């Protein structure tokens, strides 16, 4: 089956520093890749998706490039803010069971940003 | 604009008691619907999905069942709760695209 492996947390950074969360995946299908963000007590929010290899997705200053050759999709941000503190999930969607666009999530990376 | 509502917000239940959690989507016609479970501090695991009213497919077996009685409603239930059912239950929707949008979740504590 599909699998996603991402940077083990927690990650603690100071405001203004850069962030990289590594994500690698395994699938026999042609996936669409996502980054989701989850704040305490809330459901995950879609940060962005990238459906095509070698394309970049971005939102709120975060970005990631779908590297099909390396099967990677690392999340980056040049300068984090305290409001970026949350849990970040890498996920992939491959069609399975007919019409089920099943999302497979990584274990999540908890980011804490200190002012 | 679409809205997704889950009820209740939180539940505390005894082992062996029944459970019913609900999810309603407004503003979207015939969405695909999903139930996910998240252990405290853990990742998300898909439990069920539904493409249309009356049809629900199980992805994992956790002694839970799901039903879709209306186009905009998805119900998760069990007749007998286990301690292992504790966690955060999330409903999600999509419109055939691969991205899924999640509701606010229901926190379940089984004692």
């Amino acid at each position: 089956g599909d699998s996603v492996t991402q940077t083990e947390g927690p990650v603690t950074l100071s405001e203004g520093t850069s962030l990289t969360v590594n994500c690698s995946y395994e699938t026999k299908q042609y996936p669409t890749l996502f980054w989701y963000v989850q704040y305490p007590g809330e459901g995950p929010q879609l940060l962005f998706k990238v459906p095509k290899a070698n394309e970049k997705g971005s939102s709120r200053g975060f970005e990631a490039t779908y590297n099909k050759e390396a099967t990677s999709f690392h999340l980056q941000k040049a300068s984090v803010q305290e409001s970026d503190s949350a849990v970040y999930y890498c996920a992939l969607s491959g069609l399975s069971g007919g019409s089920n666009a099943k999302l497979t999530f990584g274990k999540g990376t908890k980011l804490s940003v200190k002012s | 604009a679409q809205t997704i509502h889950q009820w209740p917000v939180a539940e505390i239940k005894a082992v062996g008691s029944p459970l019913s959690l609900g999810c309603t989507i407004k503003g979207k016609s015939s969405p695909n619907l999903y139930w996910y479970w998240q252990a405290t501090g853990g990742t998300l695991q898909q439990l069920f999905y539904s493409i249309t009213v009356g049809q629900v497919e199980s992805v994992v077996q956790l002694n839970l069942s799901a039903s879709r009685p209306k186009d905009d409603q998805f119900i998760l239930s069990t007749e007998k709760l286990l301690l292992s059912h504790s966690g955060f239950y999330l409903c999600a929707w999509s419109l055939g695209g691969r991205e899924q949008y999640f509701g606010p979740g229901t926190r379940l504590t089984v004692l």
Side-chain angles (χ1 to χ4, degrees), chain A residues 36 49 89 93 100-101 106, chain B residues 38 42-43 46 49 98-100:
Chain A
Y36 280 84
K49 74 171 183 179
Y89 291 95
S93 174
N100 180 24
Chain B
Q38 185 178 33
T43 190
Q46 191 184 59
Y49 71 94
R98 301 221 190 162
E99 59 267 40
Q100 295 178 22

Side-chain angles (χ1 to χ4, degrees), chain A residues 25 30-31 50-56 65-69:
Chain A
Y25 64 89
Y30 192 84
V50 178
K52 293 183 180 179
N54 302 319
E55 290 194 354
K56 180 185 289 186
T65 300
Y66 177 171
N67 187 328
K68 184 181 178 184
E69 289 70 33

Side-chain angles (χ1 to χ4, degrees), chain B:
Chain B
Q2 73 286 344
T3 59
I4 176 168
H5 175 59
Q6 289 189 240
W7 73 91
V9 172
E11 278 269 43
I12 300 176
K13 304 278 280 187
V15 170
S17 63
L19 174 76
S20 181
L21 304 180
C23 170
T24 299
I25 316 296
K26 295 298 183 186
K28 291 296 179 185
S29 179
S30 302
N32 294 348
L33 297 176
Y34 310 87
W35 278 112
Y36 286 81
W37 173 76
Q38 185 178 33
T40 301
T43 190
L44 293 95
Q45 183 176 28
Q46 191 184 59
L47 302 177
F48 299 94
Y49 71 94
S50 172
I51 307 301
T52 190
V53 175
Q55 292 187 7
V56 176
E57 300 294 332
S58 173
V59 178
V60 295
Q61 294 296 327
L62 286 179
N63 294 306
L64 296 167
S65 60
S67 64
R68 186 170 179 177
K70 301 178 184 178
D71 184 56
D72 62 355
Q73 194 173 82
F74 208 18
I75 306 295
L76 183 71
S77 60
T78 182
E79 293 186 359
K80 191 174 288 189
L81 278 166
L82 307 172
L83 284 174
S84 58
H85 286 137
S86 291
F88 199 38
Y89 287 85
L90 292 147
C91 180
W93 65 270
S94 70
L95 279 182
R98 301 221 190 162
E99 59 267 40
Q100 295 178 22
Y101 299 93
F102 288 82
T106 295
R107 175 73 58 189
L108 174 65
T109 303
V110 183
L111 303 173

Side-chain angles (χ1 to χ4, degrees), chain A residues 10-80:
Chain A
V11 173
T12 302
L13 297 173
S14 298
E15 267 194 327
T17 59
S18 64
L19 168 72
T20 298
V21 180
N22 292 326
C23 172
S24 61
Y25 64 89
E26 291 185 18
T27 181
K28 293 183 179 179
Q29 305 173 80
Y30 192 84
T32 297
L33 300 174
F34 304 88
W35 278 99
Y36 280 84
V37 57
Q38 186 175 28
Y39 299 97
E42 300 181 8
Q45 300 174 21
L46 177 64
L47 195 52
F48 55 82
K49 74 171 183 179
V50 178
K52 293 183 180 179
N54 302 319
E55 290 194 354
K56 180 185 289 186
S58 64
S59 175
R60 310 183 209 174
F62 292 91
E63 62 179 32
T65 300
Y66 177 171
N67 187 328
K68 184 181 178 184
E69 289 70 33
T71 62
S72 69
F73 190 49
H74 307 319
L75 181 70
Q76 296 178 310
K77 188 173 186 181
S79 176
V80 296

